[in-house]
Amino acid sequence: MNTQQMEQMGQFKITVWEEENFQGKRCEFMLECQNIMERGFNKIRSIKVENGPWVGYEYPEFQGQQFILEKGDYPRYEAWSGNSSYRTEHLLSFRPIKCANHSDSKVTMYECEDFQGRKFELCDDYPSLQAMGWCSKEVPSIKVNSGA
């Protein structure tokens, strides 16, 4: 089943609440939301993923820390943050992860923050960034162009 068929059959569904423990204002989505504040919410503090994998973002426009959300309940931020040393108590945008075929995936790595400096596009698995010519041990910014 391709992504378009999944969307048409309602294979992506997420319900979000403004407060922890599934309290307060709530809304269901089957498509991405670039900015929950445009829907009258201040923040997302609890989530129920009913269908499909999703990614939630700390800031609007799919910016900031990302959190993978699989089917299940997320009553508080600890549920989506897991053991990550980086925690955020709310999410402000989210979208379904639509690419099941990783041959369609492409990312661009940048040598500086804010997508600046030398860049390198990846479309495949690389066991060593240094072996492919990346000199630094760090990747300050990455842009996901397509896929998951």
Side-chain angles (χ1 to χ4, degrees), residues 94-141:
F94 51 89
R95 61 181 163 195
I97 300 173
K98 298 179 181 181
C99 178
N101 181 355
H102 291 288
S103 65
D104 295 337
S105 297
K106 182 167 75 169
V107 300
T108 304
M109 301 184 327
Y110 295 84
E111 71 177 346
C112 300
E113 292 182 6
D114 298 320
F115 313 113
Q116 301 296 313
R118 190 173 70 122
K119 64 183 182 178
F120 193 88
E121 288 188 355
L122 302 173
C123 300
D124 203 353
D125 294 333
Y126 291 91
S128 170
L129 295 176
Q130 283 76 29
M132 67 172 216
W134 192 260
C135 299
S136 176
K137 292 185 185 236
E138 296 179 352
V139 180
S141 56

Side-chain angles (χ1 to χ4, degrees), residues 17-29:
W17 284 263
E18 193 166 45
E19 299 302 331
E20 294 178 349
N21 299 311
F22 314 109
Q23 300 294 311
K25 192 183 298 186
R26 105 188 234 293
C27 192
E28 293 180 356
F29 294 88

Side-chain angles (χ1 to χ4, degrees), residues 68-85:
I68 301 300
L69 306 166
E70 297 179 303
K71 186 174 182 175
D73 294 349
Y74 301 85
R76 293 175 36 91
Y77 74 92
E78 292 96 343
W80 68 68
S81 293
N83 293 327
S84 171
S85 61

